[in-house]
């Protein structure tokens, strides 16, 4: 009888261990599935296209530190907007990124609705003429001029666009005035200054 009880006890322990193994294996399986889904969700949220990367930029924490870096990001966003077929949501998101680089004064002078309509019209005309921004180049730090105007720190910079057109290439220059607001360089004003004929071998290598 004692031996029979011992055998029954051993059998019960083995059954318990077996059940616990099933629980552990089942738990690991569920954990693996959850982690797999989270990984896939994370991967699907990683921006891959240039448009997605620009939209994903959080300028409230990663704002460009110098006038040159502001100009580079400005050129990059404009190249994307003028060259791409954007959805309405993408266009609106990129416009907000541009406006994040505007000074308070420039924002006040360019209300968002009017700004959006004007820029969209310019982009449509640009694309209808089969134009394309091939590359852009911002003034290097040593060529940026700094002045104090009415007690405000200002910077004067230039950006050039190499543009492909139906009948050739042109290089377009735009001059910018930036003002320092809350330690950030914001665009106060800009104007197109000139264009000149160009050839493909003279295209800017990048920003």
């Amino acid at each position: 009888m004692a031996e029979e009880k011992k055998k029954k006890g051993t059998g019960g322990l083995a059954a318990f261990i077996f059940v616990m193994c099933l629980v552990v294996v089942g738990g690991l399986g569920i954990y693996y599935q959850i982690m797999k889904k989270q990984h896939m969700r994370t991967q699907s949220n990683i921006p891959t296209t240039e448009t997605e990367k620009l939209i994903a930029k959080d300028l409230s924490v990663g704002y460009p530190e110098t006038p040159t870096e502001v100009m580079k990001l400005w050129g990059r966003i404009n190249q994307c907007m003028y060259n791409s077929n954007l959805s309405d949501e993408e266009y609106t998101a990129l416009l907000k990124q541009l406006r994040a680089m505007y000074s308070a004064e420039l924002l006040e002078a360019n209300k968002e609705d009017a700004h959006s309509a004007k820029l969209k019209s310019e982009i449509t005309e640009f694309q209808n003429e089969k134009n394309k921004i091939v590359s852009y180049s911002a003034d290097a730090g040593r060529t940026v001029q700094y002045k104090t105007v009415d007690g405000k720190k200002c910077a004067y910079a230039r950006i050039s666009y190499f543009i492909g057109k139906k009948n050739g290439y042109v290089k377009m220059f735009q001059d910018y005035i930036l003002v320092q607001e809350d330690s950030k360089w914001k665009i106060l004003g800009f104007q197109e200054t000139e264009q000149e004929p160009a050839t493909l071998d003279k295209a800017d290598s990048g920003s």
Side-chain angles (χ1 to χ4, degrees):
M1 291 293 292
E3 289 183 359
E4 288 180 3
K5 288 181 179 180
K6 187 176 181 180
K7 288 181 181 180
K8 288 181 180 179
T10 303
L13 179 62
F16 175 76
I17 293 173
F18 178 73
V19 171
M20 289 304 297
C21 287
L22 288 178
V23 171
V24 171
V25 171
L28 288 174
I30 294 172
Y31 174 78
Y32 173 77
Q33 291 298 326
I34 292 174
M35 294 303 295
K36 184 178 179 180
K37 288 180 180 179
Q38 288 181 345
H39 177 72
M40 291 177 65
R41 191 179 299 115
T42 300
Q43 289 294 106
S44 65
N45 289 334
I46 295 176
T48 56
T49 67
E50 176 71 349
T51 300
E52 291 172 345
K53 291 175 182 177
L54 289 170
I55 291 173
K57 277 186 171 295
D58 186 352
L59 296 184
S60 65
V61 295
Y63 193 83
E65 295 183 356
T66 67
T68 297
E69 293 304 314
V70 172
M71 291 290 90
K72 286 181 178 180
L73 181 57
W74 178 268
R76 185 179 168 191
I77 293 175
N78 273 280
Q79 184 180 44
C80 181
M81 295 185 78
Y82 276 83
N83 288 356
S84 307
N85 292 318
L86 303 172
S87 67
D88 289 341
E89 292 78 10
E90 290 171 334
Y91 173 82
T92 299
L94 287 177
L95 178 65
K96 288 186 180 298
Q97 296 290 62
L98 282 182
R99 291 179 64 82
M101 291 185 281
Y102 271 24
S103 66
E105 184 176 333
L106 193 57
L107 285 173
E108 181 63 28
N110 292 270
K111 299 301 183 183
E112 187 169 351
D113 289 346
H115 182 189
S116 177
K118 182 180 179 182
L119 180 58
K120 186 172 289 188
S121 176
E122 291 176 356
I123 291 173
T124 299
E125 182 180 357
F126 183 87
Q127 293 180 345
N128 286 343
E129 293 178 356
K130 307 300 181 183
N131 296 332
K132 184 178 182 179
I133 298 177
V134 179
S135 62
Y136 59 90
S137 179
D139 272 353
R142 64 182 179 276
T143 59
V144 176
Q145 298 181 14
Y146 295 88
K147 295 181 180 179
T148 300
V149 180
D150 296 330
K152 298 179 180 179
K153 292 182 179 179
C154 295
Y156 296 78
R158 169 174 284 196
I159 187 170
S160 62
Y161 293 97
F162 188 84
I163 299 174
K165 303 175 80 67
K166 287 188 296 185
N167 57 349
Y169 299 90
V170 298
K171 199 168 186 179
M172 184 185 76
F173 301 90
Q174 287 185 331
D175 288 335
Y176 290 78
I177 302 175
L178 297 93
V179 63
Q180 203 166 46
E181 292 183 351
D182 299 324
S183 301
K184 295 179 180 179
W185 288 103
K186 298 296 188 82
I187 296 172
L188 180 63
F190 55 92
Q191 64 177 4
E192 182 178 332
T193 56
E194 58 183 300
Q195 288 189 12
E196 63 181 35
T199 56
L200 188 58
D201 61 315
K202 293 183 180 180
D204 299 315
S205 58
S207 59

